[in-house]
Amino acid sequence: MNKLLMLLGRICLSLIFVTSSITKLFTWDETVQYMTTGLNHWLTATQFPGFMQQGIAYVNTHTVLLLIIATLFEGVGSLFVLLGFKVRMGATLLIFFLAPVTIIMHSFWLLTGAERELQMIMFMKNLAMLGGLFILAAKAGDTEG
């Protein structure tokens, strides 16, 4: 029964990442624009120190490279988790993908109104998925080498 539950959990947790990584490949330009918009929210926030603004501006000039890395981490990580192959590594890749995405792309504290509420929900959803990935990485260590 535990193996079946673990399989169902891996499927449920990984499907959002599998579909998202595939979608990125077919909507590349739109995804670059979405990333740029998220980074621009950070650039327009005046409450951050200058060194942070400079770092964000630097990242914003390398959006395509970051998207390539993110898509690889998301795609490979989700397939590892889905297939039950190197689950800890897959979960770790997804954590490295999801943590910065959550902070940069769903920065609800920089927004107002309905957009703030939507991004807070997305932020909390990502936190829940991060929690599941941490649990999966810990549990995978019980059964993998």
Side-chain angles (χ1 to χ4, degrees), residues 16 20-22 50 54 67 73 103 124:
I16 191 169
S20 176
S21 61
I22 292 169
Q54 291 171 347
L67 183 55
F73 277 34
I103 294 167
M124 299 305 283

Side-chain angles (χ1 to χ4, degrees), residues 16-73:
I16 191 169
F17 298 109
V18 170
T19 58
S20 176
S21 61
I22 292 169
T23 300
K24 281 177 182 63
L25 295 175
F26 291 102
T27 60
W28 192 261
D29 292 337
E30 293 88 348
T31 305
V32 169
Q33 182 58 43
Y34 180 69
M35 285 180 66
T36 302
T37 300
L39 289 166
N40 284 337
H41 283 131
W42 281 88
L43 284 174
T44 58
T46 57
Q47 68 264 32
F48 296 108
F51 74 92
M52 283 182 68
Q53 295 289 0
Q54 291 171 347
I56 294 163
Y58 178 80
V59 167
N60 207 11
T61 62
H62 294 85
T63 306
V64 172
L65 176 62
L66 290 174
L67 183 55
I68 291 168
I69 294 167
T71 304
L72 283 171
F73 277 34

Side-chain angles (χ1 to χ4, degrees), residues 4-142:
L4 177 62
L5 291 174
M6 187 62 94
L7 173 64
L8 291 173
R10 287 195 336 264
I11 291 169
C12 290
L13 189 56
S14 65
L15 280 181
I16 191 169
F17 298 109
V18 170
T19 58
S20 176
S21 61
I22 292 169
T23 300
K24 281 177 182 63
L25 295 175
F26 291 102
T27 60
W28 192 261
D29 292 337
E30 293 88 348
T31 305
V32 169
Q33 182 58 43
Y34 180 69
M35 285 180 66
T36 302
T37 300
L39 289 166
N40 284 337
H41 283 131
W42 281 88
L43 284 174
T44 58
T46 57
Q47 68 264 32
F48 296 108
F51 74 92
M52 283 182 68
Q53 295 289 0
Q54 291 171 347
I56 294 163
Y58 178 80
V59 167
N60 207 11
T61 62
H62 294 85
T63 306
V64 172
L65 176 62
L66 290 174
L67 183 55
I68 291 168
I69 294 167
T71 304
L72 283 171
F73 277 34
E74 184 181 31
V76 172
S78 63
L79 287 176
F80 280 8
V81 169
L82 178 65
L83 300 173
F85 173 77
K86 296 194 179 277
V87 174
R88 176 178 272 175
M89 180 184 290
T92 302
L93 287 171
L94 289 172
I95 289 165
F96 282 130
F97 160 75
L98 192 58
V101 165
T102 300
I103 294 167
I104 294 169
M105 301 309 299
H106 302 299
S107 51
F108 65 90
W109 53 90
L110 300 176
L111 305 168
T112 58
E115 185 65 17
R116 178 186 176 100
E117 187 174 332
L118 173 65
Q119 292 305 323
M120 186 183 329
I121 291 167
M122 299 296 284
F123 184 91
M124 299 305 283
K125 171 198 57 95
N126 283 14
L127 281 184
M129 289 189 300
L130 277 166
L133 290 167
F134 282 121
I135 291 167
L136 187 59
K139 186 66 178 164
D142 293 342

